[in-house]
Amino acid sequence: MLVQLCNKSTQRNPIFWYIFLQRILYLCYKLIITRLVFRGMKCKGALAEYSRERADDLMRAYDKYISSCERISMPDVYRSIVNMPASRFWVSDKRAVIVVSAIINGSDILNGMWSLKREMYSEIYNRVMALKAAEPDFSLAKLCRIVVMQPAPKFYISPGTAKAMVCKVRKEWNRRKRAKLRLFQSR
């Protein structure tokens, strides 16, 4: 290895070891960061930044769809609500910048994603490029921040994910709705 290539006097020098370890740590850091940023997905177990707001938005769509139905079939409910418009793209602007930047640089980052995520980031990329044509002075971060806050054409989640989210938050959602109703009635 590198240590064997050096002579004995260099091996005893503490500055040599300090610089050697610094370089090894830097290379490890670069390898880890590069893998996290460009592998096309977040780390396992990462929490969504806007999970409560996204769940509230999904429950709003759920209530709207349920109230418009005569006959309720739950598989149809979940299939329909995921295709209803969302109030925004449920991804952080930082993550959108990373993915859009990778697309611009020619990376194949979209190939490793699920089809719905690929569709969402393609939509964000198209909107960013359209906005960049209108506002060429804006940075990529600002463009992504603007686009992510725009209404999205759908939720970009599967019906199974929607079912899991609705089942998880339905009790809390109904409790908050009843509390608002009680507050409104007491006035």
Side-chain angles (χ1 to χ4, degrees):
M1 294 263 269
L2 291 176
V3 178
Q4 294 171 348
L5 298 176
C6 303
N7 60 25
K8 294 282 185 189
S9 63
T10 310
Q11 290 178 10
R12 285 187 227 126
N13 187 347
I15 295 172
F16 166 79
W17 288 108
Y18 177 75
I19 294 170
F20 177 76
L21 289 174
Q22 246 185 343
R23 288 184 180 163
I24 295 294
L25 287 172
Y26 177 74
L27 291 173
C28 290
Y29 170 78
K30 290 294 281 183
L31 178 67
I32 291 168
I33 294 300
T34 305
R35 289 186 60 125
L36 289 176
V37 171
F38 291 111
R39 72 176 184 186
M41 58 187 189
K42 295 187 293 186
C43 299
K44 183 177 179 181
L47 298 174
E49 291 183 40
Y50 307 104
S51 57
R52 182 170 180 172
E53 293 90 349
R54 182 173 72 164
D56 288 346
D57 195 20
L58 188 67
M59 289 304 294
R60 175 200 49 80
Y62 176 82
D63 280 350
K64 184 177 179 182
Y65 184 80
I66 292 289
S67 64
S68 70
C69 291
E70 294 176 2
R71 181 179 162 281
I72 298 173
S73 166
M74 292 315 283
D76 291 340
V77 169
Y78 298 125
R79 256 193 310 274
S80 298
I81 65 173
V82 296
N83 291 313
M84 291 176 77
S87 61
R88 57 166 286 175
F89 287 94
W90 291 110
V91 64
S92 72
D93 54 337
K94 293 174 188 171
R95 181 67 184 157
V97 169
I98 290 169
V99 174
V100 169
S101 173
I103 294 170
I104 290 171
N105 292 331
S107 173
D108 61 349
I109 194 166
L110 294 178
N111 292 341
M113 293 184 186
W114 293 99
S115 61
L116 289 168
K117 291 294 177 198
R118 188 177 326 127
E119 184 182 346
M120 178 183 71
Y121 284 118
S122 295
E123 177 68 23
I124 291 172
Y125 170 77
N126 292 336
R127 289 188 186 193
V128 165
M129 291 296 110
L131 189 59
K132 188 166 182 66
E135 300 289 345
D137 296 336
F138 285 1
S139 68
L140 184 61
K142 186 171 184 176
L143 293 169
C144 286
R145 196 173 317 115
I146 292 168
V147 168
V148 163
M149 294 306 292
Q150 293 175 350
K154 62 184 189 176
F155 280 92
Y156 296 105
I157 58 176
S158 69
T161 302
K163 178 181 179 181
M165 288 174 67
V166 167
C167 291
K168 183 177 178 182
V169 299
R170 186 183 306 156
K171 197 180 289 185
E172 174 66 21
W173 172 264
N174 288 335
R175 189 190 62 74
R176 282 191 287 153
K177 219 162 91 170
R178 282 193 302 272
K180 284 180 188 177
L181 184 60
R182 271 189 242 119
L183 182 65
F184 182 70
Q185 288 175 347
S186 65
R187 288 185 183 182

